[in-house]
Amino acid sequence: MRFTFTEEQNKFRQTVRDFLQAELKAGIFVTKSGGLAEGNNQEFSKKMAQRGWIGLTWPQKYGGQGRTYVEKAILIEELFKVQAPVAYHFLADRQIGPSIIHFGSEWQKEYFLPRFVKADENMKFCLLFSEPNAGSDLVNVATTATKEGDFYTLRGQKVWTSGGHQSDYGWLLARTKIDSSVPRHESCSQFIVDMKAPGVTVRPIINMVGCHTFNEVFLDEVKIDRKFMVGQENDAFKQIMAQMDYERAGMERLLQNYPVYEKVINYVKEMGKTRKGDPFYHWVQDSVAQLEIEFNIGRLLCYNTAWTIDMGRKPTSEAALTKAYCNQYEQRLNDLATRVLGPASQIREGSPWTLYDGEIADCYLWSPSYALQGGSVEVLKNIVALRRLELPRK
Amino acid sequence: MEFNLNEETKMLQSSAEKFCKEKSPSPFVKNMIKDEKGFSEAHWKEMANLGWLGLIYDEKYGGSGGSFFDLFILFEEIGKTQLPSPFLCSAVFAGLLINEAGDENLKKTYLPPVIQGEKILTIGLRNEQGQYDHAAAALEAKESGGGSYVIKGTRILVPYAQVADEIIVCANLKGEKASGPTLFKVSGKASGLKKTPLNTLTGEKTFGVVFEDVKVSEKDILGAIGKGTTYVDKVLPKVITLKCGEMVGGLSKVLNMTVDYVKQRIQFGRPLGALQVVQHYCADISTFLDTSRLIAYQAASLIDIGFPCAKEVAMAKAWCSDAYKKSTQIAQQLHGGIGFTEEHDLHLYYKHAKVAELDLGDSWSHRQKVAEEMGF
Ligand SMILES: Cc1cc2nc3c(=O)[nH]c(=O)nc-3n(C[C@H](O)[C@H](O)[C@H](O)COP(=O)(O)OP(=O)(O)OC[C@H]3O[C@@H](n4cnc5c(N)ncnc54)[C@H](O)[C@@H]3O)c2cc1C
């Protein structure tokens, strides 16, 4: 047991911090919560690429750095504390790259991985998993990929596609076997789809924050070369199970609202200067101390999950438990923030008397999304119950 | 103890339910957010004609001398559909303040048009942090000779200020003879008033109002100088209780929407509602609804019969604030992605619950009051 970082890890953290501080100073980005899915700052991604910070954990032969997941967690922690604009490469780095490394063909590895680690043009990905009738029940996807010679033809509809309107490629789950005698989870495959291909239509969905970040995607007779299928035909769910752990494992799940947390702490410190004896101050202080405990536990969970991966173990239940915990922490944080800051926290961006330019209000509106995307809290708890605790299914 | 509504109240409830459903379907509510006025003039007239606005006022002012409990029932129905209007700020809050503090002449001048919906009043009691500060108002009224005063300061979250004929404020009066927190009515067109629309979570029409040396006269004073806090504190329990009514209404809608949705949404080959965890969540919302309704009905009913009920009102607001908000959070979770869209209606309630929680004291501040009432 060691709850401190090595000297090398501390140095790495400092390097990342220095870089980010310089970028902040230069006005390259501003720190504001809630915008993870937004923005497409390829320039920033390129700077990270130059430092070897995309594909940090990937093997060197694919252009990665072969570093540990704990180091990756350090990197992500620093990036998210200041809400660096990582959207351009984030998905490729977090899960598309690792999936290609594990399951992709030689061609896919050669084509995509070097471009990912360099943050090249036209390399932004989105996830085409969910459908109107396949949310938690992902094996219910109805989009089909029909093999015709060297091509597959895609027909169907996807939904909730974050960043679909800004992406170059979609990572798609589709049915490749239409045979009711085959279990549904053995009849799907994964594909890489060019989002500009004929037949792909992306339609915006405005969310309850009032933003356009997710979309509906229609696939109407989209022809794709078979070389864009990833892994084995009909093996998608095995692959996804492995991939999901990486999607869920990350430190970002704790830190999407870190600036809110910082603001609340600073606000309470200010309050303490004038309202020490006020009962409200005592309540606030106690609540923030509770958040601090929750935050620190979340951080330990994230590092523990990263370390589990470094130990060569599958982090399925750790990742599920960690994500469920962190999602709920973030929801409590945003709720509490509005109460600590009081009624003016309801005033949104651009209006006078707003607090932190509406960031607190917006974050309260973003809150419901955390416990849904990337596996709902209930589905994650099912995983903990069934996999870790081996509770009976029936 | 008796838990049934009497026949008259039931009739009022069902006509109010019909009215709100008909007039205030969700597309209308969403349109009103973008509308400059934020409510429908036609609805407003009808509400006046139905006698809603004057329900609790004396017949000599054009009211119907009805019961406060019935008014509560109206607000519960309004909360179900989120029907937007200046009802609470004008015909309740401002009206009650005038009724409480005003002399007979003022009441005769103001209450009838307010009850008929011809005049709209609003309330500016919240400081720049959005807190009600009538006990130590940051708004100042200085004597400027000849029985006039100059009001200076800022009020925010002033509902419907753009259409208000008068804004009622509590200003800290500094005079030679008398001083202290004092209620004033300020014409909505007074020079020196600067109104800025605020974009808030709910999108309800609300404003920041800056008073740049606004001139008023002693005729604009409501009641006695120095007694502003007392008047407001007298009226607040009623306003708080009606806010609870709105919340109970919202909560009941949230329960219905959620139960309907989990019955109809199929995942894993069966309705979500067949999953026990989902059933428990729904049972939790149902518990939040029943408990909120009981504690709020209790407050409304005690106010109605004139029993002292400071503790009951505080308990109601503390409980409803948490219960409604938590219910909307559970509902969001059970609705999945669809509930996170602007197109869906659930967010109207998620937002309303948060704003209602923060208005008029949240659960923390009302628990404080409960503790005080317990003698701590
Ligand atoms: C902001 C946002 C961004 C998203 N981005 C993407 C994206 O980029 N790509 C993509 O493919 N998808 C994306 N999603 C979709 C997301 O993965 C789904 O919302 C999620 O899988 C839940 O599916 P659903 O919305 O259909 O809800 P449902 O599956 O209908 O679930 C509704 C509720 O029922 C509960 N529930 C369902 N099944 C069970 C069960 N067996 N046991 C207990 N409870 C259960 C769920 O936990 C949830 O609370 C995004 C969603 C959001 C909100």
Side-chain angles (χ1 to χ4, degrees):
Chain A
M1 282 280 165
R2 173 173 56 81
F3 283 84
T4 54
F5 295 96
T6 65
E7 204 166 307
E8 199 189 337
Q9 287 167 341
N10 283 331
K11 252 198 186 136
F12 177 58
R13 186 188 292 278
Q14 196 54 49
T15 314
V16 177
R17 236 179 231 178
D18 291 344
F19 163 73
L20 291 169
Q21 285 309 317
E23 292 289 291
L24 273 169
K25 259 209 192 107
I28 304 298
F29 67 96
V30 292
T31 296
K32 190 166 182 182
S33 301
L36 167 65
E38 292 167 77
N40 234 355
N41 194 336
Q42 194 206 343
E43 277 312 301
F44 184 84
S45 295
K46 272 204 161 310
K47 287 182 204 163
M48 283 191 52
Q50 282 155 15
R51 289 163 175 77
W53 295 345
I54 300 176
L56 191 74
T57 58
W58 305 354
Q60 269 153 354
K61 66 173 167 179
Y62 299 125
Q65 306 290 320
R67 308 275 283 263
T68 63
Y69 269 83
V70 167
E71 285 168 307
K72 170 101 191 251
I74 292 171
L75 173 64
I76 299 281
E77 186 175 14
E78 293 308 317
L79 288 169
F80 276 77
K81 274 188 165 176
V82 294
Q83 304 284 299
V86 293
Y88 180 77
H89 70 267
F90 196 69
L91 212 58
D93 181 42
R94 181 173 74 181
Q95 61 201 100
I96 308 298
S99 295
I100 292 178
I101 291 170
H102 279 105
F103 307 109
S105 65
E106 277 316 304
W107 176 79
Q108 287 161 357
K109 288 177 189 171
E110 274 168 31
Y111 186 80
F112 286 104
L113 299 176
R115 287 175 168 79
F116 286 164
V117 297
K118 283 190 285 184
D120 271 355
E121 289 290 309
N122 305 325
M123 280 293 134
K124 179 160 160 120
F125 269 71
C126 61
L127 274 187
L128 297 165
F129 281 3
S130 305
E131 295 182 8
N133 292 315
S136 302
D137 185 13
L138 196 56
V139 296
N140 201 36
V141 289
T143 297
T144 54
T146 317
K147 201 176 190 167
E148 286 151 9
D150 283 344
F151 289 88
Y152 285 89
T153 304
L154 309 176
R155 298 176 183 92
Q157 184 201 341
K158 294 290 170 179
V159 73
W160 319 131
T161 314
S162 300
H165 55 304
Q166 302 163 321
S167 293
D168 307 294
Y169 291 101
W171 183 265
L172 172 87
L173 175 67
R175 192 160 296 285
T176 31
K177 201 181 259 176
I178 322 275
D179 177 351
S180 54
S181 66
V182 179
R184 292 185 304 170
H185 64 275
E186 288 169 17
S187 59
C188 291
S189 310
Q190 287 184 290
F191 298 90
I192 294 168
V193 187
D194 180 350
M195 294 297 284
K196 308 277 176 328
V200 179
T201 310
V202 181
R203 283 208 203 126
I205 305 176
I206 305 301
N207 68 24
M208 62 184 255
V209 193
C211 300
H212 169 208
T213 57
F214 57 27
N215 304 271
E216 290 179 288
V217 176
F218 297 89
L219 303 162
D220 182 20
E221 306 282 324
V222 180
K223 279 214 166 3
I224 60 169
D225 193 291
R226 62 187 291 183
K227 73 180 179 188
F228 287 104
M229 191 187 73
V230 183
Q232 299 299 310
E233 203 176 53
N234 301 321
D235 248 6
F237 279 97
K238 268 193 218 140
Q239 297 168 198
I240 286 175
M241 294 292 253
Q243 179 186 333
M244 280 286 192
D245 293 339
Y246 296 94
E247 181 186 347
R248 283 172 188 156
M251 189 66 117
E252 69 276 12
R253 300 293 184 185
L254 180 72
L255 296 166
Q256 291 175 101
N257 295 278
Y258 188 77
V260 172
Y261 187 44
E262 258 188 342
K263 280 163 186 150
V264 169
I265 292 172
N266 290 335
Y267 189 88
V268 173
K269 279 187 182 155
E270 273 305 303
M271 195 192 284
K273 288 182 189 160
T274 55
R275 293 177 71 175
K276 271 257 150 73
D278 187 334
F280 180 65
Y281 177 72
H282 282 286
W283 174 75
V284 163
Q285 199 186 26
D286 180 69
S287 307
V288 173
Q290 172 66 21
L291 276 185
E292 178 70 11
I293 296 167
E294 293 177 13
F295 174 77
N296 275 278
I297 290 171
R299 189 165 175 263
L300 291 174
L301 281 174
C302 291
Y303 276 111
N304 178 58
T305 305
W307 175 83
T308 304
I309 301 175
D310 286 336
M311 292 296 103
R313 295 207 290 268
K314 261 180 77 61
T316 307
S317 65
E318 285 86 351
L321 186 151
T322 301
K323 179 178 179 287
Y325 174 94
C326 292
N327 290 156
Q328 293 173 89
Y329 154 78
E330 289 212 296
Q331 292 183 326
R332 283 192 294 273
L333 163 63
N334 288 336
D335 186 20
L336 197 87
T338 62
R339 295 182 60 191
V340 170
L341 271 54
S345 65
Q346 70 183 277
I347 303 172
R348 300 192 65 187
E349 188 178 352
S351 286
W353 298 286
T354 176
L355 294 169
Y356 307 112
D357 207 14
E359 187 173 348
I360 311 297
D362 277 2
C363 285
Y364 188 68
L365 295 182
W366 280 108
S367 271
S369 71
Y370 307 131
L372 292 168
Q373 60 200 118
S376 73
V377 163
E378 289 72 29
V379 165
L380 298 172
K381 286 182 182 173
N382 287 344
I383 293 173
V384 174
L386 294 172
R387 303 277 189 84
R388 156 150 326 166
L389 306 176
E390 298 179 337
L391 290 171
R393 269 180 198 276
K394 283 232 156 73
Chain B
M1 288 269 174
E2 254 180 45
F3 294 104
N4 56 333
L5 302 179
N6 69 38
E7 282 313 309
E8 257 172 66
T9 306
K10 267 193 213 155
M11 268 164 61
L12 178 75
Q13 183 182 43
S14 79
S15 85
E17 184 178 11
K18 199 165 152 261
F19 180 87
C20 292
K21 264 199 188 142
E22 236 174 70
K23 308 291 174 186
S24 182
S26 60
F28 168 80
V29 175
K30 288 176 180 172
N31 274 338
M32 283 301 111
I33 293 171
K34 293 174 215 136
D35 186 81
E36 208 174 314
K37 216 175 207 132
F39 68 103
S40 145
E41 200 80 53
H43 294 172
W44 184 239
K45 286 238 161 65
E46 283 183 74
M47 288 159 79
N49 290 341
L50 284 166
W52 288 11
L53 307 186
L55 186 73
I56 50 169
Y57 294 101
D58 202 290
E59 283 165 21
K60 67 178 166 187
Y61 307 122
S64 51
S67 85
F68 179 79
F69 190 83
D70 284 356
L71 185 64
F72 175 93
I73 293 294
L74 285 183
F75 273 87
E76 186 179 344
E77 293 307 322
I78 287 171
K80 283 184 191 168
T81 67
Q82 303 287 306
L83 171 74
S85 85
F87 193 176
L88 190 65
C89 67
S90 181
V92 176
F93 209 157
L96 284 174
L97 283 176
I98 288 175
N99 203 37
E100 188 63 41
D103 57 27
E104 204 47 39
N105 191 23
L106 194 91
K107 290 195 219 179
K108 281 210 168 109
T109 323
Y110 277 89
L111 287 179
V114 164
I115 287 168
Q116 278 146 33
E118 286 157 7
K119 254 192 199 315
I120 292 176
L121 310 187
T122 191
I123 296 291
L125 289 176
R126 303 173 81 168
N127 66 14
E128 291 186 80
Q129 287 72 47
Q131 308 283 4
Y132 292 80
D133 71 349
H134 52 284
L139 203 64
E140 280 186 5
K142 272 201 197 116
E143 244 165 350
S144 60
S148 27
Y149 300 88
V150 165
I151 298 183
K152 201 181 168 76
T154 299
R155 303 285 85 183
I156 71 166
L157 301 171
V158 183
Y160 298 102
Q162 89 284 24
V163 292
D165 298 289
E166 312 271 342
I167 304 173
I168 294 180
V169 297
C170 182
N172 204 357
L173 189 147
K174 287 179 184 153
E176 273 193 10
K177 278 178 252 147
S179 292
T182 303
L183 292 185
F184 286 90
K185 60 181 178 57
V186 180
S187 161
K189 296 190 188 72
S191 74
L193 269 192
K194 234 179 74 194
K195 303 173 196 167
T196 314
L198 301 177
N199 180 12
T200 62
L201 282 177
T202 53
E204 210 180 3
K205 293 304 138 185
T206 192
F207 290 76
V209 181
V210 179
F211 295 71
E212 287 171 347
D213 294 331
V214 175
K215 264 215 158 86
V216 287
S217 86
E218 57 191 3
K219 285 201 208 99
D220 295 314
I221 293 178
L222 302 187
I225 289 176
K227 283 195 70 181
T229 311
T230 318
Y231 299 134
V232 174
D233 282 340
K234 202 113 181 243
V235 165
L236 261 181
K238 291 186 177 166
V239 178
I240 290 170
T241 303
L242 296 176
K243 183 55 77 177
C244 290
E246 228 180 81
M247 295 165 93
V248 169
L251 210 171
S252 75
K253 176 75 184 186
V254 167
L255 177 64
N256 287 342
M257 284 170 82
T258 307
V259 169
D260 284 351
Y261 184 72
V262 299
K263 277 186 194 162
Q264 144 226 319
R265 169 72 171 164
I266 308 283
Q267 287 286 272
F268 304 100
R270 53 185 180 163
L272 283 181
L275 294 165
Q276 215 157 49
V277 62
V278 172
Q279 293 172 349
H280 285 190
Y281 279 140
C282 291
D284 286 343
I285 303 181
S286 188
T287 308
F288 281 137
L289 174 60
D290 280 8
T291 50
S292 297
R293 195 172 257 153
L294 282 171
I295 197 95
Y297 275 29
Q298 170 174 263
S301 172
L302 293 181
I303 289 177
D304 192 37
I305 59 171
F307 263 48
C309 56
K311 184 171 115 186
E312 283 74 9
V313 170
M315 290 198 298
K317 181 62 168 70
W319 185 262
C320 292
S321 294
D322 279 349
Y324 183 22
K325 178 186 69 187
K326 284 180 188 156
S327 297
T328 61
Q329 291 168 345
I330 298 170
Q332 287 286 350
Q333 183 65 14
L334 292 184
H335 276 78
I338 200 89
F340 196 63
T341 63
E342 182 164 69
E343 199 184 343
H344 202 274
D345 298 338
L346 187 60
H347 64 85
L348 294 174
Y349 298 88
Y350 180 80
K351 294 165 177 172
H352 177 244
K354 175 47 79 184
V355 170
E357 175 195 32
L358 297 175
D359 194 4
L360 299 158
D362 70 354
S363 62
W364 179 84
S365 82
H366 282 285
R367 281 199 300 268
Q368 272 305 101
K369 287 213 180 96
V370 172
E372 281 162 28
E373 290 298 323
M374 291 167 73
F376 293 132

